[in-house]
């Protein structure tokens, strides 16, 4: 006689406590998920997009994923992006993550996932930054698009011991850059300079973070990357084809990146090939190709659902162990067939 699984709910404050208390383990979980993906032990189907024809800015994305190996967890992140939320100080992205048992298929948990999503994005960006940058990890940082993902990424760069001699901020909305600057001052004891244009922010920076909500690429001036910076192109649609072609390109998964009109996808459409991509982050970790420090190195991660499942599973296990997950014993009250 089988019993229905217990269904757990993990709210945002618990997710935050677990992540804050276990940053090293979360970082290692992200790297392990990338390595599992590289070894072929994951299933990461295409993301599904839902958009409103009369509101093209807004979108929902479903990211189903399965992690094999010793993790054995499936799940799906359902995340929405409504950039206009900012007008009322509401975060652009909101999300839930459903995790499933791989032997019965039953959902076993629902986790608040906007922080899980931001965390896996930021931790993977920090991992990429240290893999593709010259050592030591220091220099001038430019943040282009100073929202939630930028904030989380800077937190993770600082956690990984990056030291910045200068921080440049640029946002099309000056007030957003002001918020970010205040946060840096109050929470990190760091001073930043708000720049009035992209060129002033980017041109002397050794690490450049793109976390905008741009829909079409706009950075066409190769001179902005003349100093051969490390570029974390998390927003995926900022850099024009000529600049992509003049750079060394590193991805999370090449197949996924060539979709949804990302800068890389546009480059593939224009050139008819993918030769401009050197390889994945795991290829870098495994030294399967040589990094070229004389060119800009651009990391463009499409954002894999396997990272959400990996980090979400870590959070769930920790929340259950500490008794902070909310157990719903009778969630599946009608699961017995007879
Ligand atoms: N690759 C991934 O895995 C991944 C994961 C999560 C989020 N993202 C992307 O990261 C981006 C940022 O997300 P967020 O939650 O921080 O959004 P957000 O709305 O909090 O912040 C975005 C900021 O970018 C600014 N901006 C928009 N266009 C700009 C431009 N052309 N130049 C300078 N600033 C500009 C906005 O004013 C805003 O302050 C989004 O595009 C999102 O899709 C990527």
């Amino acid at each position: 006689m089988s019993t229905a699984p217990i269904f757990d709910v993990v709210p945002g404050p618990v997710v935050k406590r677990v992540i804050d208390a276990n940053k090293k383990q979360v970082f290692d979980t992200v790297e392990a998920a990338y390595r599992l993906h590289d070894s072929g032990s994951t299933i990461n189907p295409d993301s599904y997009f839902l958009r409103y024809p009369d509101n093209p800015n807004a979108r929902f994305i479903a990211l189903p994923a399965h992690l094999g190996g010793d993790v054995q967890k499936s799940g799906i992140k359902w995340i929405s992006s409504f950039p206009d939320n900012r007008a009322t100080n509401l975060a652009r992205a909101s999300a839930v993550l459903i995790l499933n048992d791989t032997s019965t298929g039953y959902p076993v948990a629902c986790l608040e996932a906007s922080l899980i999503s931001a965390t896996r994005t930021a931790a993977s960006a920090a991992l990429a930054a240290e893999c593709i940058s010259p050592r030591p990890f220091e220099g001038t940082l430019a943040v282009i698009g100073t929202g939630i993902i930028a904030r989380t990424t800077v937190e993770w760069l600082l956690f990984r011991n990056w030291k910045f001699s200068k921080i440049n901020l640029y946002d099309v909305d000056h007030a957003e850059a002001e918020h970010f600057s205040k946060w840096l001052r109050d929470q990190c004891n760091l001073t930043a300079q708000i720049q009035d244009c992209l060129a002033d922010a980017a041109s002397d920076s050794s690490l450049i973070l793109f976390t905008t909500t741009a829909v079409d690429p706009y950075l066409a001036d190769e001179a902005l990357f003349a100093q051969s910076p490390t570029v974390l192109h998390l927003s995926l649609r900022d850099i024009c084809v000529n600049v992509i072609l003049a750079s060394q390109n590193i991805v999370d998964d090449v197949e996924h990146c060539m979709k949804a009109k990302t800068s890389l996808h546009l480059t593939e459409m224009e050139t008819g090939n993918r030769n401009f991509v050197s390889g994945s982050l795991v290829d870098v970790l495994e030294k399967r190709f040589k990094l070229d420090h004389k060119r800009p190195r651009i990391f463009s991660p499409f954002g894999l659902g396997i990272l959400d499942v990996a980090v979400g599973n870590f959070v769930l296990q920790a929340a259950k162990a500490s008794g902070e997950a909310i157990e719903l014993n009778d969630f599946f009250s009608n699961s017995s067939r007879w």
Side-chain angles (χ1 to χ4, degrees):
M1 175 97 173
S2 67
T3 50
I6 293 166
F7 189 78
D8 286 293
V9 175
V10 186
V14 177
V15 174
K16 179 162 170 40
R17 264 201 299 284
V18 169
I19 290 174
D20 286 350
N22 298 283
K23 279 192 142 167
K24 173 75 174 87
Q25 292 93 320
V26 169
F27 190 80
D28 292 345
T29 298
V30 167
E31 180 177 339
Y34 273 144
R35 287 185 180 279
L36 207 59
H37 188 59
D38 180 75
S39 72
S41 304
T42 62
I43 305 168
N44 202 109
D46 286 351
S47 301
Y48 255 73
F49 288 73
L50 178 106
R51 296 180 202 270
Y52 304 131
D54 57 351
N55 183 8
N57 257 343
R59 63 161 196 241
F60 300 83
I61 315 180
L63 292 86
H66 170 74
L67 281 155
D70 53 6
V71 184
Q72 292 301 331
K73 204 56 101 207
S74 303
I76 186 164
K77 179 176 72 174
W78 180 235
I79 184 162
S80 61
S81 169
F82 280 57
D84 295 345
N85 284 356
R86 266 206 342 267
T88 55
N89 195 30
L90 195 60
R92 174 192 64 83
S94 56
V96 291
L97 174 72
I98 301 290
L99 292 176
N100 294 75
D101 182 279
T102 50
S103 54
T104 63
Y106 269 65
V108 292
C110 176
L111 296 90
E112 194 288 328
S114 67
L115 184 58
I116 288 172
S117 185
T119 297
R120 61 77 148 150
T121 304
S124 73
L127 173 66
E130 56 190 64
C131 286
I132 67 176
S133 299
R135 284 167 197 250
F137 304 136
E138 59 188 25
T140 299
L141 169 70
V143 181
I144 315 299
T146 55
I148 306 290
I149 296 295
R151 188 176 76 202
T152 317
T153 304
V154 169
E155 274 173 359
W156 279 83
L157 289 169
L158 295 175
F159 170 71
R160 295 297 295 176
N161 282 321
W162 281 77
K163 306 271 184 281
F164 301 113
S165 50
K166 188 178 170 202
I167 301 178
N168 289 317
L169 306 178
Y170 171 66
D171 197 294
V172 282
D173 183 342
H174 196 267
E176 292 294 324
E178 295 277 1
H179 280 303
F180 199 92
S181 175
K182 183 175 180 326
W183 170 78
L184 272 175
R185 199 172 49 242
D186 294 350
Q187 302 298 319
C188 312
N189 203 19
L190 290 170
T191 309
Q193 303 204 354
I194 299 175
Q195 305 292 355
D196 291 331
C197 68
L198 171 67
D200 288 349
S203 46
D204 72 341
S205 296
S206 49
L207 178 60
I208 307 178
L209 173 61
F210 285 91
T211 40
T212 74
T213 41
V215 179
D216 298 308
Y218 54 89
L219 192 159
D221 183 358
E222 290 169 37
L224 298 193
F225 289 173
Q227 71 284 23
S228 301
T230 294
V231 179
L232 302 174
H233 188 205
L234 306 189
S235 34
L236 295 166
R237 295 172 188 86
D238 300 81
I239 302 173
C240 296
V241 169
N242 60 311
V243 182
I244 292 286
L245 288 172
S247 306
Q248 186 171 39
N249 291 284
I250 296 106
V251 296
D252 52 358
D253 180 302
V254 69
E255 203 61 50
H256 285 276
C257 284
M258 300 298 168
K259 293 196 172 85
K261 295 196 178 160
T262 63
S263 294
L264 296 184
H265 187 202
L266 297 176
T267 307
E268 183 189 38
M269 290 198 283
E270 198 164 309
T271 61
N273 66 64
R274 297 173 176 187
N275 302 341
F276 55 90
V277 175
S278 293
S280 73
L281 204 49
V282 178
D283 291 333
V284 180
L285 285 164
E286 291 298 317
K287 299 187 172 43
R288 293 180 190 139
F289 68 88
K290 205 165 154 22
L291 283 171
D292 184 355
H293 291 290
K294 295 204 171 69
R295 280 193 292 161
R297 280 143 284 100
I298 304 178
F299 176 58
S300 299
F302 193 74
L304 302 177
I306 52 158
L307 298 189
D308 297 296
V309 172
V311 174
N313 185 44
F314 176 86
V315 169
L316 175 64
Q317 300 315 323
K320 281 171 84 76
S322 64
E324 290 177 288
I326 300 165
E327 282 189 1
L328 302 180
N329 291 304
D330 57 354
F331 189 75
F332 299 106
S333 57
N334 60 349
S335 60
S336 294
R337 295 188 68 232
W338 300 103

